[in-house]
Amino acid sequence: MLEKEGEKMHCVLIVEDDSDINNFINDYFVIKGYATIQAFSGTEGLLRLKSEKNICCVILDLMLPGISGEEIIQEIRKVSDVPIITVSAKNEEEAKIEVLKLGADDFLLKPFNLEELQLKVERNIQKYLNQQVSYKKNEEFKNIILNQDTREVFVGGQNVYFTSKEFDILMLLIQNPNKVISKEKIFKEVWHEDYCIDTQTVTVHIKNIRKKIKEINPTTPTIETVWGIGFKIC
């Protein structure tokens, strides 16, 4: 849902080297009431993201000259949780899994429907903006602390960067300690979907969370897999 008239429009950064496709996406989102910024290379995309402070979502082609889309995702995730919707002609399941591992929020295969792209953008923008709202308290589990105001994670007192979806998954598990949460429930709660269409995405994010925690403190409580059901933190 776009913001009401008189309020600031949601701004989308489009990073696509094919000018026809870039303009096609741009014209559609402008008609739909979005503010847009166009970039025709990875380098330009990163520069625009750093200079423009009101970007709410990035539509990113993976097959770019120079800096690849995968490299751009990594660079963005060093400094920002802004949603990243990747678009690519790569049809391999491994390609989708890889970009999700790197921190992308969604994946769309070319050729794509612009209405579907808009729905993905809207959903991720709304989630992103909701995350900017302050929450009431910290959540703690043993030596892991999640600050809901700043969305920071501390492991053994050390600040560890987590993507927005990694944070939400960890929050869900910590709010339900020693309780098995199914992959389907995690997907529905974190991705705000009525139906779970991709449990592999959840598995990838769980793997990333485990790795980040263990790199700081190997003895920290971690997330256990309950085969055939889901995950629990204990």
Side-chain angles (χ1 to χ4, degrees), residues 36-179:
T36 61
I37 299 172
Q38 292 176 270
F40 296 89
S41 70
T43 300
E44 183 184 4
L46 287 174
L47 289 174
R48 297 306 295 269
L49 185 66
K50 292 176 181 178
S51 63
E52 302 288 343
K53 303 303 181 184
N54 62 331
I55 293 172
C56 295
C57 186
V58 178
I59 299 172
L60 175 66
D61 180 38
L62 293 179
M63 300 179 70
L64 295 168
I67 302 177
S68 69
E70 289 84 355
E71 291 176 294
I72 293 172
I73 294 170
Q74 291 177 293
E75 291 301 313
I76 292 175
R77 283 295 171 255
K78 291 178 181 178
V79 297
S80 175
D81 272 338
V82 65
I84 303 172
I85 312 296
T86 58
V87 294
S88 176
K90 297 179 180 179
N91 195 22
E92 301 86 359
E93 185 69 18
E94 292 79 6
K96 177 181 179 180
I97 293 173
E98 180 61 25
V99 297
L100 293 173
K101 284 182 179 179
L102 293 174
D105 294 273
D106 217 327
F107 182 95
L108 200 56
L109 182 66
K110 290 182 178 180
F112 52 82
N113 182 288
L114 285 173
E115 290 184 1
E116 182 181 1
L117 176 60
Q118 182 190 355
L119 287 173
K120 289 179 179 292
V121 167
E122 284 186 358
R123 184 178 66 235
N124 280 280
I125 286 178
Q126 193 59 56
K127 180 75 179 334
Y128 176 65
L129 295 178
N130 288 343
Q131 290 167 356
Q132 312 307 309
V133 178
S134 293
Y135 296 87
K136 60 182 180 179
K137 63 175 184 178
N138 291 346
E139 290 287 347
E140 298 184 25
F141 184 78
K142 298 184 179 179
N143 66 340
I144 302 174
I145 300 174
L146 278 68
N147 186 316
Q148 296 190 71
D149 288 330
T150 63
R151 293 184 65 81
E152 293 177 300
V153 179
F154 297 87
V155 179
Q158 184 170 338
N159 192 336
V160 184
Y161 174 76
F162 285 81
T163 68
S164 60
K165 284 186 170 51
E166 290 169 355
F167 182 96
D168 290 341
I169 291 171
L170 187 56
M171 176 67 73
L172 179 61
L173 293 170
I174 285 179
Q175 288 175 335
N176 298 275
N178 300 304
K179 180 179 178 181

